[in-house]
Amino acid sequence: MSTRVPRTVTELPVPDGWDFGDFPYGLEPLTLPEPPTPDAGYDIPDVLPAEESRVDRGVRCPRTGPALAAEEISHQLFWFRWITGHQATFAVWQLTAHALHQARVRADPAPSLRAMTDLTDAYTAMLLYTSSCPADVYGQVIRPSMYLQHRSFSGTWAPDFVPVRSLLRGRKTEWEGTPEADRLKKAVRMYHTVHAGVAAKLVPGGRSLLQESATEVTPTRPETQALIYDHYFLTLRAPVDAGELVGQLRSRLRAITQDVATNGLYPGLGPREDAAFPEELRGDEVRQVYEEGFATVLGRIDAAARQLRPKVLHHSTP
């Protein structure tokens, strides 16, 4: 255990080269196409795993950083993480949906399955990032903001989750028994482990807004739920191409990685709070792969997106 004495700061440290939003830890709207559907056209180039030579494995994520003394500063950082981390997740889900479709039409699905494994790991890392706030910040700021949007506000309303729901719920696929499918299933199991740990960390009682409001709220139509969800996370829908999709994702991955390198994954985390983490978040694999290896997990997706982008630009050239 580290013996470092935490410093208390009154201003958030700003990463070198920060270029996201109008100010440090400001937000940007995200523009996505409608979620892919089985009968939609798939003109996106193959979503493939990153070339290993492009992935930097040497960057270790600091687990904690200086405590944030001022309440408004703490709220600014964790609100940025909540919104921007979810936006990155939506783009990751879209790429996962494309990779899933491509696995079903390729002669060799193995590269697509490896890409889905990396994308699932990135989603798991985003769960840790968006939930990195202390429980009191979640209870005082984030959860009430969702309640004010809708009393039954729920992650199940996320439009981009729909095409990958079956995959991420661990349902059987047509590739069962192959090494690539086994690794994908393991990544999905780790996602479920971390998701359970995040829920236990932020909502000790375990009841979501949807569960709490079940007896008093009439559910809205799925189309309305999707609009409410997108609106909350500053997400717009328009027919953007793959180049714009990965460009927006990469800018968010860069900002998120810079933030964590500067402030740590859990800013101001003390021994008492650390010891109170749920069992699901205390395993060696969670600590080594998704916490210490946070930058590497996101770096794989950034490198994969970097591979995808030149093909899109070349394809779109008149």
Side-chain angles (χ1 to χ4, degrees):
M1 183 179 293
S2 173
T3 57
R4 179 184 61 81
V5 177
R7 294 185 295 114
T8 298
V9 297
T10 56
E11 293 186 0
L12 277 171
V14 180
D16 291 337
W18 182 267
D19 61 355
F20 190 89
D22 290 335
F23 50 87
Y25 311 108
L27 303 177
E28 288 188 5
L30 175 71
T31 304
L32 291 178
E34 292 294 331
T37 58
D39 57 346
Y42 285 84
D43 58 355
I44 188 170
D46 280 355
V47 179
L48 301 174
E51 297 174 9
E52 287 300 319
S53 61
R54 296 191 176 194
V55 180
D56 187 353
R57 294 172 169 270
V59 180
R60 181 176 175 179
C61 171
R63 192 150 193 276
T64 188
L68 306 175
E71 184 176 83
E72 64 270 21
I73 291 173
S74 172
H75 293 176
Q76 177 75 65
L77 177 62
F78 292 121
W79 185 249
F80 169 83
R81 291 185 171 197
W82 183 250
I83 299 298
T84 306
H86 274 86
Q87 290 179 338
T89 296
F90 305 157
V92 163
W93 283 340
Q94 287 230 354
L95 292 182
T96 305
H98 285 294
L100 178 61
H101 169 78
Q102 290 159 4
R104 288 173 171 152
V105 298
R106 288 171 59 97
D108 178 12
S112 298
L113 295 174
R114 292 197 296 271
M116 284 189 278
T117 298
D118 291 343
L119 288 160
T120 301
D121 282 341
Y123 172 33
T124 301
M126 283 298 95
L127 282 173
L128 292 177
Y129 181 74
T130 56
S131 69
S132 58
C133 60
D136 62 337
V137 173
Y138 181 81
Q140 296 170 15
V141 178
I142 293 174
R143 188 177 171 97
S145 73
M146 293 186 289
Y147 179 87
L148 291 174
Q149 193 80 352
H150 194 285
R151 291 186 183 182
S152 297
F153 195 89
S154 170
T156 63
W157 296 359
D160 300 296
F161 186 72
V162 175
V164 296
R165 179 188 291 133
S166 179
L167 176 74
L168 294 177
R169 287 185 175 174
R171 305 280 171 78
K172 287 186 177 181
T173 69
E174 51 266 57
W175 308 287
E176 293 293 317
T178 64
E180 291 81 10
D182 288 344
R183 284 191 285 271
L184 176 56
K185 287 179 68 174
K186 180 181 178 182
V188 170
R189 287 196 298 270
M190 288 305 302
Y191 144 65
H192 282 282
T193 296
V194 170
H195 189 273
V198 164
K201 171 179 177 278
L202 296 182
V203 189
R207 288 178 60 80
S208 67
L209 291 176
L210 184 62
Q211 291 169 325
E212 288 187 347
S213 65
T215 60
E216 61 177 282
V217 177
T218 301
T220 59
R221 293 179 302 165
E223 297 85 353
T224 304
Q225 293 172 348
L227 286 170
I228 292 171
Y229 196 88
D230 277 351
H231 179 268
Y232 176 82
F233 285 108
L234 299 180
T235 300
L236 310 172
R237 299 287 167 173
V240 301
D241 64 22
E244 294 173 284
L245 169 62
V246 299
Q248 292 178 94
L249 173 60
R250 292 190 66 201
S251 70
R252 282 158 177 79
L253 294 178
R254 182 171 59 251
I256 289 167
T257 302
Q258 288 178 307
D259 164 27
V260 170
T262 300
N263 300 301
L265 184 56
Y266 305 109
L269 181 70
R272 180 179 299 177
E273 294 82 4
D274 193 3
F277 268 40
E279 181 181 353
E280 295 92 339
L281 301 183
R282 303 181 62 79
D284 290 341
E285 190 161 5
V286 172
R287 293 288 172 90
Q288 294 168 9
V289 176
Y290 301 103
E291 291 186 352
E292 293 178 11
F294 183 87
T296 300
V297 169
L298 297 196
R300 283 185 175 280
I301 304 308
D302 183 69
R306 192 161 69 247
Q307 293 170 183
L308 184 73
R309 191 176 178 84
K311 297 178 183 178
V312 177
L313 294 179
H314 176 73
H315 177 73
S316 63
T317 300

